[in-house]
Amino acid sequence: MNKPKSKKMENQLTIIGSGPAGLTAALYAARGNLNPLVIEGFPAGGQLTLTTDVENYPGFPDGIMGPELMDKFKEQSVRFGAEIVNGEIAKVDFSSSRLRLFLDDETEIETKSVIISTGASAKMLGLEEESLLLGKGVSTCATCDGFFFRDQIVTVVGGGDSAMEEALFLTKFARKVYLIHRREIFRASQIMLDRAKANPKIEFILNTEIKKINNPDENKVTNAILHNKKTSGTTELDTDAVFIAIGHIPNTDIFKDYLDLNENGYILTKEGTKTNIPGVFACGDVQDWEYRQAVTAAGSGCMAAIDTERYLSNLK
Ligand code: NAP
């Protein structure tokens, strides 16, 4: 659905975000007659729309593609009456019990309750040239950009499951995949690490950080300057692309003036999915820095809808 025509709307429940948490909350809330309005955000469908095979979502023994799984989530919530709006919330005002949300086109939504499921975004290395080269050889999404590096040399940064997954995916296209990690101990699960290590196209470079990504004609990456933390040596690595897979930052910037966050910016919840503001609930990766799985996000979305239903019925 497109953005609402009126510049002011009122409703009972607005859900911000459309990943597994948000759309599960929408499904349960719609079935509870709360007529939820879901503001999709970007990317619509959340992080799973940027991934390929999902092998660990229960109910799909042969796995399912991330975008297809999210289409199914959406279809199921719409079937029970959830209204999905394509757009982003740019600002919120939680200073009174009239909870107010402002869409990026300045449409104002006054709502009795809010479920925040804005997820988390990819972390960057912090190099000067990184953002300039995004989409021109630097990427945070192998699924989106791997195809462009057929038969080329690519580099993945990180030591977690995301890095292993990106590296393995890239072996479908690239002729060589370097995996650079700043330590020699990994956060990745053993099964993912073993798969990456067993792949002959992947070469691990450990105890190493990227200091610079070179791009002589500004449109193409040619090499990266590496710093070995053990030897303090500097080397140059020929590579056509750098895929950054070093974790995520919760998308909580617009809430920080109102909600209690932890030191890393994740929303603090208590007694299920309640935040410090009555009527505002949070679920999924925006409040979960530990498990961060689609299935746990979906579970917490269900909890948020039940918590909201109880809150709204106590208001009446
Ligand atoms: P993560 O587990 O937090 O790992 C991030 C990695 O990036 C760490 O190895 C970290 O190094 C490194 N790193 C962080 N900042 C860095 C920097 N500035 N420079 C260089 N390296 C840096 O994040 P993730 O891999 O995104 O995984 C997040 C969660 O999603 C995990 O629970 C994971 O299991 C899950 N996940 C699951 C799957 C799957 O099951 N298929 C796929 C992807 C993700 P240090 O170790 O030195 O801190």
Side-chain angles (χ1 to χ4, degrees), residues 2 69 82 104 129 145 149 155 159 176 187 191 202 250 261 274 303-304:
N2 288 326
L69 178 61
D104 43 8
E129 61 278 19
D145 301 327
F149 299 96
T155 299
K176 171 98 195 168
R187 286 182 201 270
I191 184 167
I202 301 177
L261 309 178
K274 289 180 189 166
M303 288 162 64

PDB file of all heavy atoms in Angstrom, residues 2 69 82 104 129 145 149 155 159 176 187 191 202 250 261 274 303-304:
ATOM      1  N   ASN A   2       0.369   2.320  -0.668  1.00  0.00           N
ATOM      2  CA  ASN A   2       1.123   3.562  -0.675  1.00  0.00           C
ATOM      3  C   ASN A   2       0.867   4.344   0.605  1.00  0.00           C
ATOM      4  O   ASN A   2       0.068   3.955   1.442  1.00  0.00           O
ATOM      5  CB  ASN A   2       0.737   4.401  -1.890  1.00  0.00           C
ATOM      6  CG  ASN A   2       1.294   3.766  -3.138  1.00  0.00           C
ATOM      7  OD1 ASN A   2       2.380   3.178  -3.097  1.00  0.00           O
ATOM      8  ND2 ASN A   2       0.552   3.847  -4.217  1.00  0.00           N
ATOM      9  N   LEU A  69      10.547 -15.755   2.264  1.00  0.00           N
ATOM     10  CA  LEU A  69      10.025 -15.943   3.629  1.00  0.00           C
ATOM     11  C   LEU A  69       9.312 -14.668   4.087  1.00  0.00           C
ATOM     12  O   LEU A  69       8.214 -14.710   4.641  1.00  0.00           O
ATOM     13  CB  LEU A  69      11.175 -16.305   4.585  1.00  0.00           C
ATOM     14  CG  LEU A  69      10.796 -16.497   6.059  1.00  0.00           C
ATOM     15  CD1 LEU A  69       9.797 -17.650   6.237  1.00  0.00           C
ATOM     16  CD2 LEU A  69      12.037 -16.783   6.916  1.00  0.00           C
ATOM     17  N   ALA A  82      -3.970  -6.575   8.527  1.00  0.00           N
ATOM     18  CA  ALA A  82      -2.927  -5.572   8.803  1.00  0.00           C
ATOM     19  C   ALA A  82      -2.817  -4.636   7.590  1.00  0.00           C
ATOM     20  O   ALA A  82      -2.902  -5.096   6.447  1.00  0.00           O
ATOM     21  CB  ALA A  82      -1.592  -6.258   9.054  1.00  0.00           C
ATOM     22  N   ASP A 104       8.097  10.140   6.872  1.00  0.00           N
ATOM     23  CA  ASP A 104       9.098  10.942   6.154  1.00  0.00           C
ATOM     24  C   ASP A 104       8.467  12.000   5.244  1.00  0.00           C
ATOM     25  O   ASP A 104       9.111  12.974   4.884  1.00  0.00           O
ATOM     26  CB  ASP A 104      10.094  10.053   5.391  1.00  0.00           C
ATOM     27  CG  ASP A 104       9.432   8.906   4.656  1.00  0.00           C
ATOM     28  OD1 ASP A 104       8.180   8.871   4.606  1.00  0.00           O
ATOM     29  OD2 ASP A 104      10.160   8.046   4.133  1.00  0.00           O
ATOM     30  N   GLU A 129      37.153   6.462   3.014  1.00  0.00           N
ATOM     31  CA  GLU A 129      36.717   6.211   1.641  1.00  0.00           C
ATOM     32  C   GLU A 129      35.511   5.269   1.552  1.00  0.00           C
ATOM     33  O   GLU A 129      34.891   5.130   0.496  1.00  0.00           O
ATOM     34  CB  GLU A 129      37.877   5.612   0.816  1.00  0.00           C
ATOM     35  CG  GLU A 129      38.419   4.276   1.314  1.00  0.00           C
ATOM     36  CD  GLU A 129      39.427   4.394   2.451  1.00  0.00           C
ATOM     37  OE1 GLU A 129      39.466   5.457   3.105  1.00  0.00           O
ATOM     38  OE2 GLU A 129      40.157   3.424   2.702  1.00  0.00           O
ATOM     39  N   ASP A 145      25.107  -7.646  -4.078  1.00  0.00           N
ATOM     40  CA  ASP A 145      26.182  -7.182  -4.963  1.00  0.00           C
ATOM     41  C   ASP A 145      27.150  -8.268  -5.444  1.00  0.00           C
ATOM     42  O   ASP A 145      27.976  -8.003  -6.316  1.00  0.00           O
ATOM     43  CB  ASP A 145      26.992  -6.081  -4.245  1.00  0.00           C
ATOM     44  CG  ASP A 145      26.103  -4.907  -3.863  1.00  0.00           C
ATOM     45  OD1 ASP A 145      25.157  -4.628  -4.625  1.00  0.00           O
ATOM     46  OD2 ASP A 145      26.335  -4.293  -2.809  1.00  0.00           O
ATOM     47  N   PHE A 149      30.623  -9.464  -9.205  1.00  0.00           N
ATOM     48  CA  PHE A 149      32.046  -9.796  -9.097  1.00  0.00           C
ATOM     49  C   PHE A 149      32.349 -11.222  -9.570  1.00  0.00           C
ATOM     50  O   PHE A 149      33.224 -11.894  -9.041  1.00  0.00           O
ATOM     51  CB  PHE A 149      32.528  -9.534  -7.652  1.00  0.00           C
ATOM     52  CG  PHE A 149      32.353  -8.090  -7.290  1.00  0.00           C
ATOM     53  CD1 PHE A 149      31.231  -7.672  -6.594  1.00  0.00           C
ATOM     54  CD2 PHE A 149      33.256  -7.136  -7.730  1.00  0.00           C
ATOM     55  CE1 PHE A 149      31.022  -6.332  -6.312  1.00  0.00           C
ATOM     56  CE2 PHE A 149      33.062  -5.793  -7.465  1.00  0.00           C
ATOM     57  CZ  PHE A 149      31.947  -5.391  -6.752  1.00  0.00           C
ATOM     58  N   THR A 155      36.933  -9.612  -1.049  1.00  0.00           N
ATOM     59  CA  THR A 155      37.389  -9.722   0.335  1.00  0.00           C
ATOM     60  C   THR A 155      36.213  -9.492   1.273  1.00  0.00           C
ATOM     61  O   THR A 155      35.425  -8.570   1.050  1.00  0.00           O
ATOM     62  CB  THR A 155      38.474  -8.640   0.596  1.00  0.00           C
ATOM     63  OG1 THR A 155      39.553  -8.890  -0.296  1.00  0.00           O
ATOM     64  CG2 THR A 155      38.966  -8.667   2.026  1.00  0.00           C
ATOM     65  N   GLY A 159      34.454 -11.802  11.604  1.00  0.00           N
ATOM     66  CA  GLY A 159      34.730 -13.143  12.117  1.00  0.00           C
ATOM     67  C   GLY A 159      33.502 -13.803  12.721  1.00  0.00           C
ATOM     68  O   GLY A 159      33.615 -14.765  13.472  1.00  0.00           O
ATOM     69  N   LYS A 176      38.044 -16.034  -6.134  1.00  0.00           N
ATOM     70  CA  LYS A 176      38.824 -16.122  -4.888  1.00  0.00           C
ATOM     71  C   LYS A 176      38.161 -15.233  -3.846  1.00  0.00           C
ATOM     72  O   LYS A 176      37.742 -14.111  -4.156  1.00  0.00           O
ATOM     73  CB  LYS A 176      40.253 -15.608  -5.186  1.00  0.00           C
ATOM     74  CG  LYS A 176      41.121 -15.433  -3.997  1.00  0.00           C
ATOM     75  CD  LYS A 176      42.012 -16.626  -3.838  1.00  0.00           C
ATOM     76  CE  LYS A 176      42.631 -16.664  -2.466  1.00  0.00           C
ATOM     77  NZ  LYS A 176      43.258 -17.949  -2.202  1.00  0.00           N
ATOM     78  N   ARG A 187      33.766 -15.447  16.373  1.00  0.00           N
ATOM     79  CA  ARG A 187      32.441 -15.452  16.986  1.00  0.00           C
ATOM     80  C   ARG A 187      31.494 -16.378  16.207  1.00  0.00           C
ATOM     81  O   ARG A 187      30.424 -16.713  16.679  1.00  0.00           O
ATOM     82  CB  ARG A 187      31.830 -14.041  16.959  1.00  0.00           C
ATOM     83  CG  ARG A 187      32.454 -13.117  17.957  1.00  0.00           C
ATOM     84  CD  ARG A 187      31.775 -11.758  17.913  1.00  0.00           C
ATOM     85  NE  ARG A 187      32.650 -10.766  18.466  1.00  0.00           N
ATOM     86  CZ  ARG A 187      32.671 -10.426  19.747  1.00  0.00           C
ATOM     87  NH1 ARG A 187      31.837 -10.978  20.588  1.00  0.00           N
ATOM     88  NH2 ARG A 187      33.518  -9.523  20.190  1.00  0.00           N
ATOM     89  N   ILE A 191      29.763 -24.677  12.928  1.00  0.00           N
ATOM     90  CA  ILE A 191      29.320 -25.263  11.654  1.00  0.00           C
ATOM     91  C   ILE A 191      29.589 -24.306  10.484  1.00  0.00           C
ATOM     92  O   ILE A 191      30.052 -24.714   9.421  1.00  0.00           O
ATOM     93  CB  ILE A 191      27.834 -25.709  11.721  1.00  0.00           C
ATOM     94  CG1 ILE A 191      27.421 -26.409  10.432  1.00  0.00           C
ATOM     95  CG2 ILE A 191      26.875 -24.587  12.026  1.00  0.00           C
ATOM     96  CD1 ILE A 191      26.090 -27.143  10.515  1.00  0.00           C
ATOM     97  N   ILE A 202      38.096 -20.037  -0.347  1.00  0.00           N
ATOM     98  CA  ILE A 202      38.222 -19.044   0.739  1.00  0.00           C
ATOM     99  C   ILE A 202      39.586 -19.146   1.410  1.00  0.00           C
ATOM    100  O   ILE A 202      40.014 -20.229   1.816  1.00  0.00           O
ATOM    101  CB  ILE A 202      37.102 -19.239   1.800  1.00  0.00           C
ATOM    102  CG1 ILE A 202      35.723 -19.096   1.142  1.00  0.00           C
ATOM    103  CG2 ILE A 202      37.258 -18.240   2.945  1.00  0.00           C
ATOM    104  CD1 ILE A 202      34.540 -19.326   2.071  1.00  0.00           C
ATOM    105  N   PRO A 250      21.759  -1.048  16.362  1.00  0.00           N
ATOM    106  CA  PRO A 250      20.290  -0.982  16.429  1.00  0.00           C
ATOM    107  C   PRO A 250      19.765   0.349  15.895  1.00  0.00           C
ATOM    108  O   PRO A 250      20.399   1.390  16.093  1.00  0.00           O
ATOM    109  CB  PRO A 250      20.010  -1.119  17.932  1.00  0.00           C
ATOM    110  CG  PRO A 250      21.280  -0.676  18.596  1.00  0.00           C
ATOM    111  CD  PRO A 250      22.395  -1.057  17.677  1.00  0.00           C
ATOM    112  N   LEU A 261      17.807   3.196  26.695  1.00  0.00           N
ATOM    113  CA  LEU A 261      18.617   2.348  25.804  1.00  0.00           C
ATOM    114  C   LEU A 261      19.816   1.823  26.596  1.00  0.00           C
ATOM    115  O   LEU A 261      20.224   2.452  27.586  1.00  0.00           O
ATOM    116  CB  LEU A 261      19.142   3.163  24.610  1.00  0.00           C
ATOM    117  CG  LEU A 261      18.127   3.979  23.803  1.00  0.00           C
ATOM    118  CD1 LEU A 261      18.841   4.766  22.693  1.00  0.00           C
ATOM    119  CD2 LEU A 261      17.073   3.074  23.177  1.00  0.00           C
ATOM    120  N   LYS A 274       7.718  -4.444  27.249  1.00  0.00           N
ATOM    121  CA  LYS A 274       7.413  -3.055  27.639  1.00  0.00           C
ATOM    122  C   LYS A 274       8.678  -2.206  27.637  1.00  0.00           C
ATOM    123  O   LYS A 274       9.736  -2.650  28.095  1.00  0.00           O
ATOM    124  CB  LYS A 274       6.842  -3.017  29.057  1.00  0.00           C
ATOM    125  CG  LYS A 274       5.444  -3.574  29.177  1.00  0.00           C
ATOM    126  CD  LYS A 274       4.976  -3.478  30.620  1.00  0.00           C
ATOM    127  CE  LYS A 274       3.679  -4.224  30.809  1.00  0.00           C
ATOM    128  NZ  LYS A 274       3.346  -4.442  32.212  1.00  0.00           N
ATOM    129  N   MET A 303       4.970 -11.708  21.302  1.00  0.00           N
ATOM    130  CA  MET A 303       4.860 -11.213  22.688  1.00  0.00           C
ATOM    131  C   MET A 303       4.419  -9.752  22.709  1.00  0.00           C
ATOM    132  O   MET A 303       3.560  -9.356  23.508  1.00  0.00           O
ATOM    133  CB  MET A 303       6.216 -11.335  23.401  1.00  0.00           C
ATOM    134  CG  MET A 303       6.620 -12.752  23.735  1.00  0.00           C
ATOM    135  SD  MET A 303       8.402 -12.879  24.075  1.00  0.00           S
ATOM    136  CE  MET A 303       8.564 -11.863  25.529  1.00  0.00           C
ATOM    137  N   ALA A 304       5.002  -8.939  21.818  1.00  0.00           N
ATOM    138  CA  ALA A 304       4.669  -7.501  21.790  1.00  0.00           C
ATOM    139  C   ALA A 304       3.198  -7.297  21.455  1.00  0.00           C
ATOM    140  O   ALA A 304       2.533  -6.429  22.039  1.00  0.00           O
ATOM    141  CB  ALA A 304       5.563  -6.786  20.770  1.00  0.00           C
TER     142      ALA A 304
END
